[in-house]
Amino acid sequence: MLGSIVNGIILGSIITLGGLGISYILLIQNYFNFTGGTFFTLGAYLAFAFLSIIPMGSFPVVSFGPGLILALILSMIVLAIIMTAVDKFLYQPLRKRNSPFMFFYLTAFGMLFVLRSLIYLIWGPQLKNYISGVRKTYHLAGGINISPDEIFVVLATLIIVGIVYYFQYYTKLGKAMLATANDSRLAEISGIKNKHVHTTVTIIAGVLTATAGVFYGLAIQLRPIMGFTLLMAMFFAVVCGGDGAILGTLGAGLIIGITQEFGSEILQVIFDSTGIPIEMSGYKQVLAFLLLIVILTTKPHGIFQGTFLER
Amino acid sequence: MKKLSTILELVNVNKHFGGIHAVQDANIEIEKGTITGLIGPNGAGKTTIFNLITGFYPLSSGEIFFKGEKLQPGNAPHQMLRKNIYRSFQITRDLAKITVLENLLIAPVNQLGENIFNNWFNKSGVRKEEDGYKEKAMEILGFLDMEDKADEYAGNLPGGERKLLELGRMMMVEPELVLLDEPGAGVPPGMQKKVNDRVRELNEEKNITFLVVEHDMAVIMNLCDPILVLVNGTKLTEGNAEEIQNDERVIKAYLGE
Amino acid sequence: MIAYIAALLCMGSVYAIITLGYNLQWGYTGLFNLSVFGLAAAGGYTSVILTGATAGGRLGGYGLPFIIGLVGAAMVSGLLGGLIGMATLHLEFGFFAISTLGLGMTIQIILKNEQWLSNGVWGIGGIHKPLSGFVGNDLSNWVYGILAFLIMLLIFYLLERVVKSPWGRIQMAIKEDEKLTEMLGKKVFSYRFQSLVLGSMIIGIGGAMFAHYQGYINPMSYTDIMMCFLPLLMVVAGGSGNNKGSIVGAFVIWGAWSVSEMVAGYLPISSAKIPHIRTLVVGIVIISLLRWRPTGIIGREQAVSSTAKNKDIIAS
Amino acid sequence: MQKKKIITCITILIFVFVVSFTGLAKAEDYKVGTIWPMTGTAAAFGEAITNACTLVQDYVNEAGGIHGNELKIINRDTGSEPTKGVDAARKLINVNKVPAIVGCYSSGVAMGVSQGVTIPNEAVFVTLGTSPMISVVKDNDYFFRASAHDLYNGRVLGEAMYNDGHKEIGIVYVNNAYGKGIADAAAVTFSKIHDGKVVAKVPFEIGKSSYSSEIRRTYQNGDIDATLIIAYPEDATVMHKEIYANGWDDIPWYGSPDQKVPELIDSLGAEYMEGIVLGSTQGRWPGASKDSFMEGYNKKYGEYPPKPYMAPGFDGLVSVVLAIARSGKAPGEVTGQDVRDNIRAVTSEPGEKIYATVEGFKKAFALLEEGKEINYIGASGNVEYDKYGDAMSAIQTWTIEDGEIITIENIIPDPVPRDLMPPEYQAE
């Protein structure tokens, strides 16, 4: 049973990274990036493509080697470039024109179609893996099973969130981003170039999204719709955490992951023992969603609202 | 300065956002029939006070009375107009994608046609009422010299006329108290005089009380009497244009200490 | 060929109904409701449960007339729309969108998992088109298409009555400026709620018309792409806040969607790649239109007023 | 201004419309439609099966076509969704006027296509959907199925598990028509036909990143001897990683048809898969048809992917082609009724045995022209359509040795009797 919590934490880590990518876009550009999930998939597949030319090598303990790290870095760079290009070419004109929100969403939908078909065309619909075979697993007390790869994913997520947190609150550029998010007009007057901020945000979003995708591929597998199926969870994390709140997104991501895995299992046990004929497996997502509604009803701007934004 | 009865009264009003004290122990009285100006440096809490009066923000503490009756806490923004309080916004908020005429027609409260069922089952009643309001709207447009713009989209109007349109919308409902947020913002100088004249006319003819927030000192000095100065969410002083201009505390507050 | 035109008429009308409902919500009131597919599914299932002749172990089999099915669909979808509204209407634009998307998915998941209600994954088959018994198969599509078109026109008429009125004016005002509308003494929540419920009822009718046309439905018949994204595209293509535009948008987009697949079939590419190339092209077309033709694909946004002089809005 | 734009749009649409019809197949071609999932959840199977169908077209045309006229396959995408599938089928029937459609990988889509399009339009639809519900659709005999359905598959799996000496099993199945069908049939076989006990029967949703709670429910409800995992390869991979992590990998597991793909071995590693998998899938029947099919595929498309349901798809199309040939009608005049009336005659006794080779097609067309009977022996089995329109084709059991998928045997089982199944399976 406790094993579900571990699964929830792993899922939550990936949701957090992907969610932060979306959160940054939302913070500065004020729209929910529906393409986020597909960029996530693209990041994972890019690393897969790089792995076909980079020898994997091997690390002790974990099942992957330095090749994957290199592929991850390359994937980050390429995805950041792609996302910046998309932002420059598609969203910037929309921002300039002060287009209605809907245009951003529709453009994101259009991008989703384009990227998804490209992924299908290039890599095909089949399931892919970075590393084949089942992994070594540690069996801990209380029925917790965890593989070194998964520990790596969770630890790396925490480190990355830490770095992003530092960047956000302790560097000049990070503070400029916050200023722009608060009031872009005012920030511009005080000498912060909106353009640079947008580019920085997009690059950070690209790096985070690529990492999330690669981690998903590492912990689970690669498939063309993997990002889209996780998109809702990422949105939930963004919404629950409060937009732009880094620790909030981390907290919400973990809460959602654990609710889906652990909460549904607990409920299932309760239903089974009381004889209520409900299969929770279908309702995992609904459970996370009900949580979202409850949180939003009590706190319309997320759990960690107002950490730095006054809205 | 003619002393009339108090129309709006803020008693010990406080508002915090997180750790920030946006409004601190504000005690303000607005006399009926005046055009009161509300000035202060950036972040002095002027717009916040408007938002508190109209119920967009809940009060942290304190009370607001309108004509002796408790207004806040308790009333929601949509109830303001029913109580004869009209508020304009800092950035001109007009409904850009409907016409000037309709911008006026939307203002009256409790129209028959606002109930969805009347539009299906009592169409003639709705139409009759609508015709009445149309007539009134055209009169107002005449007063504003905007008759020819009736069928233009509001979004196509120049800045000054948008302010006039806002006044027009206000005239449709003939409120007792009007909260004007920056009537000078985005208005070309030639137009500003027209806006000011209309405000003064309305004040004199219809006995409408105005509370004006403004950045542009020229506008305030020209239009308002008395003028309240707000610093860090607290009332600093009150007086007419001349007094304010010569008050050292005010100059200090604006230039910084 | 002729029969295919009948099929286009049927689907076009069904989509036009859904699009009209959605246009009320998005085009007039500015509600970015993403639960359209769930509402349509609820409508479809309600009608099928009410009008179906037999039901092996699940709810339904009441054999009621088609029109009762439609009314029931409108009621249930309207009710669900109301519940969704109560849960989400206080939220901001994007948050509202995500929450409604989640609630739409919840409806779909319930339909998939509760066998006693919807026959679960097996779906419900043997749904009859009204009047198909009298006219035979060749004509039934035509009869159904014309019926759907007439229902669509009736909805269009009823909608025009309310949107070109003070009520519709308030909805437009809310879309443009919620705070101002609130200041003008209109209870924004109430009007949003009314728009959401009325729109949901229309979407429910559309979902029911869809079910009777398909003949078989399962929870996957109402997917987010086909039943939410496509209507959204239709609304925007026709110009949001423009009922006539919505109808044209529905027919044109559905026609283009349906025909484009046939055209793609003649390209000299491996047939396994064609569908992906088609979605690729659809995506590029959407993006390009937004990039270079931002005023809408067919029509521009239109005001409530029919007297407006200059149809072009200069300001944003 | 606005009207002009609308008119322009409509004009373009009509133009596209007209163009799309002028590019159609020649009037003297025999047309058959196919619909396969190229996009969506079942997309992984679409390409291979489309290739299999193209192979039929090649063979027939190489053999000189049907009575001298070419065969033209028109392929469309079902998108793995009923809405898209129905639209695709409708275009095939209404625009391309095909008398018969072969296709649909998913039962849900097949049900929609049959009830929405093919049955009312009196066109033959040969599907591969495995849902037992397909048999009981009121179809006026226009609805066929070239593959064995879940009552066969489930029977084979249930029997296999019982015969291997297992007494208590757990079943975890994908929560859709396909998974539920096999799970129910296997459970009934195991517990009602035999005296085994199904300890847990747990559904799961596709595309999740973890199935630990489902796995735990399956394994922890009692001491089970074996598990039946009915899942698509993607989800099966995720599950097995968790089964392994929980240390249950020593309990033998049985797989469903979809798991007979090389990706699963790639993902989990040959070592893990070694010898512990036994699955059932649509079989291939040893004979000239199978050899011809596999060799032809290897020749044209490189490697033959060991994916399920390719052979029945191939056979379904061949039986439609032969039925068209037997009707003897000219290309434009073949109707769904003709196909329906002839499809059983060309696939069953009496008649000379025909195999799906170029020579076989030549011989078949010659015999049919002479008015003689033929009996097609397919790559997936005898291909005999029963009273429900279901082909009695072979079920193959397979396992994995040295990282290769190995066929154990091909059998034609009895289906699970419908009266033992839950009420929703009974014919209406």
Side-chain angles (χ1 to χ4, degrees):
Chain A
M1 191 76 84
L2 287 173
S4 289
I5 296 182
V6 174
N7 280 315
I9 290 172
I10 294 159
L11 182 63
S13 305
I14 294 163
I15 291 172
T16 304
L17 288 178
L20 273 178
I22 292 170
S23 184
Y24 268 109
I25 305 263
L26 175 72
L27 175 66
I28 304 286
Q29 311 183 354
N30 217 2
Y31 71 98
F32 280 88
N33 189 4
F34 272 81
T35 332
T38 317
F39 279 129
F40 172 96
T41 315
L42 186 64
Y45 271 88
L46 282 173
F48 181 78
F50 288 125
L51 269 180
S52 63
I53 36 175
I54 303 168
M56 175 65 98
S58 70
F59 277 136
V61 189
V62 291
S63 59
F64 57 90
L68 187 81
I69 306 290
L70 188 59
L72 167 62
I73 292 166
L74 288 174
S75 159
M76 278 177 185
I77 295 169
V78 175
L79 193 70
I81 292 171
I82 292 173
M83 282 177 74
T84 315
V86 167
D87 185 65
K88 279 255 142 37
F89 189 67
L90 294 178
Y91 292 109
Q92 200 155 292
L94 292 183
R95 279 198 296 272
K96 260 189 198 150
R97 282 201 304 258
N98 261 334
S99 301
F101 284 127
M102 181 59 82
F103 280 39
F104 289 87
Y105 285 91
L106 279 176
T107 306
F109 276 128
M111 250 349 265
L112 192 154
F113 277 141
V114 169
L115 289 176
R116 193 196 275 176
S117 356
L118 282 177
I119 289 166
Y120 270 113
L121 284 171
I122 297 170
W123 287 287
Q126 281 85 12
L127 134 84
K128 303 256 195 295
N129 281 284
Y130 293 135
I131 310 125
S132 80
V134 287
R135 291 123 197 225
K136 195 170 73 181
T137 311
Y138 298 126
H139 301 274
L140 307 175
I144 294 172
N145 307 296
I146 190 160
S147 71
D149 293 9
E150 290 166 338
I151 296 173
F152 168 79
V153 166
V154 175
L155 289 181
T157 302
L158 290 177
I159 292 168
I160 290 167
V161 169
I163 293 171
V164 173
Y165 188 84
Y166 176 82
F167 170 81
Q168 177 81 81
Y169 293 102
Y170 297 98
T171 63
K172 211 178 149 198
L173 198 54
K175 285 178 188 164
M177 274 166 54
L178 287 187
T180 308
N182 263 324
D183 190 337
S184 61
R185 210 171 39 135
L186 208 66
E188 186 121 41
I189 292 165
S190 44
I192 296 162
K193 285 245 165 66
N194 266 348
K195 240 184 180 175
H196 292 175
V197 170
H198 278 290
T199 313
T200 319
V201 165
T202 317
I203 288 171
I204 295 174
V207 166
L208 289 170
T209 311
T211 316
V214 174
F215 283 1
Y216 190 90
L218 179 64
I220 295 140
Q221 61 188 207
L222 296 165
R223 53 204 292 196
I225 53 163
M226 66 193 219
F228 195 67
T229 48
L230 222 57
L231 185 66
M232 276 316 283
M234 293 185 207
F235 280 160
F236 290 179
V238 174
V239 171
C240 285
D243 47 349
I246 293 165
L247 296 181
T249 312
L250 176 68
L254 293 178
I255 289 172
I256 284 163
I258 292 170
T259 312
Q260 278 199 16
E261 299 303 324
F262 184 66
S264 66
E265 192 165 354
I266 291 279
L267 275 178
Q268 185 69 63
V269 170
I270 294 168
F271 286 144
D272 282 354
S273 59
T274 50
I276 299 168
I278 293 176
E279 292 288 351
M280 278 310 295
S281 75
Y283 290 108
K284 270 186 187 176
Q285 217 171 0
V286 175
L287 202 64
F289 182 67
L290 289 179
L291 182 79
L292 172 89
I293 291 283
V294 170
I295 288 173
L296 283 182
T297 316
T298 47
K299 296 210 156 194
H301 293 293
I303 314 173
F304 300 85
Q305 134 218 30
T307 41
F308 59 85
L309 277 183
E310 195 56 72
R311 278 179 163 259
Chain B
M1 203 166 89
K2 47 194 171 168
K3 189 86 180 168
L4 297 166
S5 61
T6 303
I7 187 164
L8 186 77
E9 190 179 5
L10 277 72
V11 182
N12 293 332
V13 169
N14 276 293
K15 177 67 190 173
H16 329 248
F17 293 109
I20 306 161
H21 257 80
V23 176
Q24 253 175 324
D25 290 325
N27 286 295
I28 295 174
E29 282 181 25
I30 310 292
E31 301 303 323
K32 196 169 164 57
T34 58
I35 305 179
T36 308
L38 193 59
I39 62 168
N42 254 338
K46 295 165 295 187
T47 303
T48 309
I49 285 187
F50 271 20
N51 281 331
L52 292 172
I53 296 170
T54 49
F56 278 106
Y57 295 156
L59 300 178
S60 294
S61 69
E63 279 173 322
I64 298 175
F65 295 94
F66 177 64
K67 292 196 291 182
E69 185 191 339
K70 190 160 129 190
L71 189 67
Q72 296 296 349
N75 286 311
H78 74 256
Q79 286 164 314
M80 292 302 133
L81 203 55
R82 278 158 223 253
K83 295 191 180 293
N84 282 324
I85 301 172
Y86 182 95
R87 182 215 169 151
S88 84
F89 290 86
Q90 189 168 5
I91 303 159
T92 2
R93 295 195 178 213
D94 43 31
L95 305 164
K97 284 166 189 168
I98 64 179
T99 63
V100 168
L101 180 63
E102 282 168 324
N103 261 284
L104 298 186
L105 289 179
I106 199 165
V109 287
N110 289 333
Q111 298 177 42
L112 261 185
E114 288 178 4
N115 183 323
I116 186 167
F117 295 107
N118 284 340
N119 293 305
W120 287 322
F121 306 119
N122 185 11
K123 188 78 184 166
S124 59
V126 172
R127 196 172 294 147
K128 208 171 142 195
E129 195 193 47
E130 182 93 341
D131 287 343
Y133 283 130
K134 248 180 210 165
E135 218 165 281
K136 187 173 175 190
M138 289 312 289
E139 264 173 44
I140 291 170
L141 285 176
F143 171 75
L144 297 170
D145 294 336
M146 284 173 69
E147 268 164 320
D148 54 327
K149 300 273 175 71
D151 290 336
E152 190 73 57
Y153 283 107
N156 291 349
L157 294 179
E161 290 196 335
R162 292 190 191 188
K163 287 284 174 197
L164 288 179
L165 179 60
E166 193 138 18
L167 293 182
R169 223 166 23 216
M170 179 254 289
M171 288 167 69
M172 282 297 285
V173 284
E174 297 183 357
E176 291 173 47
L177 174 67
V178 175
L179 310 175
L180 270 186
D181 204 340
E182 302 215 5
V187 181
M191 206 56 151
Q192 185 63 57
K193 190 173 175 305
K194 198 166 166 187
V195 175
N196 288 357
D197 290 348
R198 295 289 177 246
V199 169
R200 220 171 275 125
E201 265 175 69
L202 287 169
N203 176 251
E204 278 159 19
E205 284 169 21
K206 310 239 160 151
N207 198 23
I208 298 173
T209 313
F210 284 87
L211 177 59
V212 185
V213 160
E214 181 55 73
H215 255 113
D216 189 340
M217 279 301 157
V219 176
I220 279 274
M221 299 302 163
N222 187 341
L223 189 66
C224 304
D225 184 33
I227 296 169
L228 304 178
V229 184
L230 211 62
V231 176
N232 293 336
T234 324
K235 190 173 97 176
L236 189 70
T237 182
E238 185 175 349
N240 63 26
E242 209 173 322
E243 287 164 22
I244 294 296
Q245 272 168 323
N246 296 327
D247 193 319
E248 268 177 39
R249 285 177 301 170
V250 176
I251 297 163
K252 213 174 181 184
Y254 267 89
L255 295 177
E257 282 157 291
Chain C
M1 174 74 200
I2 294 292
Y4 179 57
I5 290 174
L8 280 181
L9 177 69
C10 289
M11 277 308 271
S13 303
V14 166
Y15 268 115
I17 294 172
I18 294 174
T19 308
L20 280 173
Y22 199 15
N23 185 36
L24 179 67
Q25 296 180 344
W26 161 248
Y28 284 95
T29 319
L31 298 171
F32 193 13
N33 173 15
L34 290 179
S35 65
V36 174
F37 62 109
L39 295 169
Y45 269 94
T46 309
S47 179
V48 167
I49 285 168
L50 288 176
T51 61
T54 51
R58 62 170 164 83
L59 193 70
Y62 303 113
L64 296 167
F66 177 68
I67 185 77
I68 304 283
L70 287 192
V71 172
M75 291 296 163
V76 170
S77 294
L79 185 71
L80 284 172
L83 290 176
I84 289 174
M86 280 190 233
T88 58
L89 267 180
H90 62 281
L91 300 172
E92 271 176 24
F93 189 83
F95 290 43
F96 176 79
I98 304 300
S99 307
T100 48
L101 179 59
L103 283 171
M105 283 163 76
T106 305
I107 296 176
Q108 203 179 30
I109 290 171
I110 289 171
L111 287 174
K112 189 177 174 189
N113 281 282
E114 300 308 315
Q115 189 150 354
W116 59 271
L117 175 73
S118 61
N119 214 17
V121 293
W122 299 122
I124 301 178
I127 308 164
H128 294 292
K129 286 195 190 99
L131 302 172
S132 65
F134 299 104
V135 292
N137 177 64
D138 288 345
L139 276 177
S140 79
N141 266 6
W142 278 110
V143 170
Y144 193 74
I146 290 165
L147 180 71
F149 195 78
L150 290 176
I151 290 175
M152 189 267 289
L153 283 184
L154 178 69
I155 290 170
F156 171 74
Y157 169 74
L158 291 173
L159 268 180
E160 284 288 288
R161 279 282 283 263
V162 291
V163 297
K164 296 207 166 141
S165 78
W167 189 85
R169 204 153 51 207
I170 293 170
Q171 300 292 4
M172 291 283 286
I174 289 171
K175 185 185 180 185
E176 289 209 21
D177 198 325
E178 175 192 343
K179 269 192 166 176
L180 174 62
T181 317
E182 190 88 31
M183 242 10 270
L184 287 171
K186 323 294 179 198
K187 207 172 174 186
V188 169
F189 182 88
S190 159
Y191 283 97
R192 282 200 169 142
F193 189 76
Q194 289 174 34
S195 169
L196 189 65
V197 170
L198 183 61
S200 301
M201 289 170 83
I202 296 168
I203 290 166
I205 292 174
M209 296 297 290
F210 174 77
H212 286 274
Y213 176 60
Q214 292 276 317
Y216 165 88
I217 53 170
N218 67 26
M220 289 309 289
S221 300
Y222 299 89
T223 54
D224 40 7
I225 298 282
M226 293 303 282
M227 279 288 161
C228 193
F229 173 68
L230 216 52
L232 172 65
L233 198 59
M234 288 163 180
V235 170
V236 174
S240 351
N242 179 349
N243 282 334
K244 268 183 218 146
S246 292
I247 295 170
V248 176
F251 278 95
V252 169
I253 298 278
W254 176 254
W257 179 278
S258 185
V259 170
S260 72
E261 195 220 30
M262 284 193 287
V263 179
Y266 302 112
L267 298 174
I269 314 165
S270 142
S271 60
K273 292 210 153 63
I274 284 173
H276 302 301
I277 291 172
R278 182 172 154 236
T279 25
L280 184 70
V281 170
V282 169
I284 291 173
V285 166
I286 295 169
I287 292 170
S288 323
L289 282 170
L290 292 166
R291 174 80 172 70
W292 286 288
R293 290 292 308 274
T295 44
I297 301 163
I298 299 160
R300 278 160 195 270
E301 294 205 41
Q302 221 180 32
V304 183
S305 166
S306 46
T307 56
K309 251 193 228 156
N310 187 350
K311 293 276 179 199
D312 294 341
I313 298 168
I314 301 159
S316 56
Chain D
M1 184 70 180
Q2 194 186 355
K3 260 189 193 143
K4 226 179 198 174
K5 260 180 235 155
I6 295 173
I7 290 166
T8 323
C9 269
I10 291 171
T11 319
I12 292 170
L13 202 65
I14 290 169
F15 178 73
V16 169
F17 216 76
V18 169
V19 167
S20 65
F21 294 114
T22 47
L24 290 179
K26 284 169 284 176
E28 58 268 25
D29 287 347
Y30 281 104
K31 286 173 289 189
V32 177
T34 57
I35 46 174
W36 300 112
M38 299 295 175
T39 50
T41 47
F45 303 95
E47 183 162 356
I49 215 157
T50 310
N51 291 342
C53 290
T54 316
L55 209 57
V56 176
Q57 179 178 302
D58 292 352
Y59 284 172
V60 169
N61 292 339
E62 214 173 301
I66 307 170
H67 309 319
N69 295 313
E70 289 216 330
L71 171 70
K72 167 106 176 121
I73 309 267
I74 304 167
N75 185 42
R76 299 216 186 288
D77 175 29
T78 66
S80 318
E81 279 175 27
T83 319
K84 290 183 189 161
V86 165
D87 185 51
R90 191 162 273 133
K91 281 180 278 192
L92 287 172
I93 300 282
N94 289 339
V95 180
N96 303 99
K97 305 274 180 212
V98 298
I101 295 176
V102 181
C104 272
Y105 190 79
S106 326
S107 304
V109 183
M111 293 288 272
V113 168
S114 61
Q115 299 189 34
V117 185
T118 54
I119 296 169
N121 281 299
E122 301 187 342
V124 165
F125 180 34
V126 184
T127 186
L128 299 185
T130 54
S131 158
M133 305 306 169
I134 285 176
S135 310
V136 296
V137 170
K138 289 191 192 112
D139 61 355
N140 289 327
D141 209 12
Y142 282 107
F143 194 11
F144 293 87
R145 163 159 47 193
S147 60
H149 57 67
D150 293 341
L151 296 185
Y152 292 95
N153 254 322
R155 179 77 185 256
V156 169
L157 287 168
E159 296 279 354
M161 286 188 287
Y162 189 79
N163 292 341
D164 288 351
H166 304 303
K167 288 285 173 279
E168 295 193 337
I169 58 162
I171 299 175
V172 52
Y173 64 95
V174 51
N175 190 17
N176 62 18
Y178 154 81
K180 200 164 158 51
I182 300 187
D184 285 351
V188 166
T189 308
F190 198 75
S191 61
K192 286 196 183 160
I193 297 176
H194 297 293
D195 57 353
K197 190 176 169 214
V198 179
V199 178
K201 200 160 130 247
V202 181
F204 71 89
E205 296 294 321
I206 57 165
K208 294 277 179 287
S209 56
S210 165
Y211 294 108
S212 59
S213 59
E214 287 87 350
I215 293 293
R216 250 189 292 278
R217 273 181 85 203
T218 313
Y219 283 89
Q220 283 185 334
N221 274 359
D223 288 327
I224 53 171
D225 310 326
T227 18
L228 174 57
I229 295 174
I230 300 159
Y232 298 114
E234 290 86 346
D235 304 325
T237 319
V238 178
M239 273 182 196
H240 278 293
K241 285 178 180 164
E242 283 169 341
I243 290 172
Y244 178 81
N246 279 292
W248 287 312
D249 53 312
D250 53 337
I251 296 173
W253 54 277
Y254 293 74
S256 61
D258 287 87
Q259 290 169 33
K260 196 193 151 205
V261 290
E263 287 101 299
L264 193 64
I265 306 172
D266 287 348
S267 299
L268 294 170
E271 222 174 297
Y272 181 80
M273 299 288 279
E274 193 65 41
I276 46 173
V277 182
L278 178 120
S280 78
T281 188
Q282 185 63 49
R284 282 194 294 276
W285 200 242
S289 288
K290 178 199 154 197
D291 298 341
S292 143
F293 171 49
M294 292 186 67
E295 278 163 26
Y297 198 101
N298 284 337
K299 213 166 117 197
K300 187 161 181 192
Y301 301 105
E303 209 181 339
Y304 181 91
K307 294 215 162 163
Y309 295 107
M310 288 171 62
F314 179 86
D315 286 344
L317 186 54
V318 172
S319 55
V320 166
V321 167
L322 292 175
I324 290 174
R326 189 176 185 269
S327 75
K329 294 223 176 134
E333 290 158 14
V334 183
T335 62
Q337 209 171 346
D338 296 325
V339 179
R340 176 189 71 171
D341 295 346
N342 288 303
I343 198 163
R344 284 197 175 82
V346 293
T347 52
S348 58
E349 297 281 345
E352 195 163 330
K353 284 186 171 139
I354 294 295
Y355 298 94
T357 59
V358 175
E359 286 70 38
F361 280 117
K362 269 187 193 153
K363 191 166 131 196
F365 297 144
L367 285 169
L368 288 171
E369 262 175 38
E370 290 165 28
K372 290 188 180 147
E373 292 296 337
I374 55 169
N375 177 18
Y376 173 64
I377 306 296
S380 67
N382 253 336
V383 192
E384 309 242 342
Y385 294 102
D386 66 8
K387 65 171 177 163
Y388 295 116
D390 296 338
M392 285 182 269
S393 53
I395 297 280
Q396 179 190 57
T397 51
W398 50 274
T399 185
I400 290 171
E401 277 173 24
D402 299 330
E404 297 288 326
I405 296 169
I406 305 291
T407 304
I408 300 172
E409 58 173 343
N410 284 295
I411 40 174
I412 297 184
D414 292 325
V416 180
R418 270 177 195 271
D419 50 347
L420 291 179
M421 296 295 287
E424 66 263 26
Y425 288 82
Q426 318 300 336
E428 282 174 9

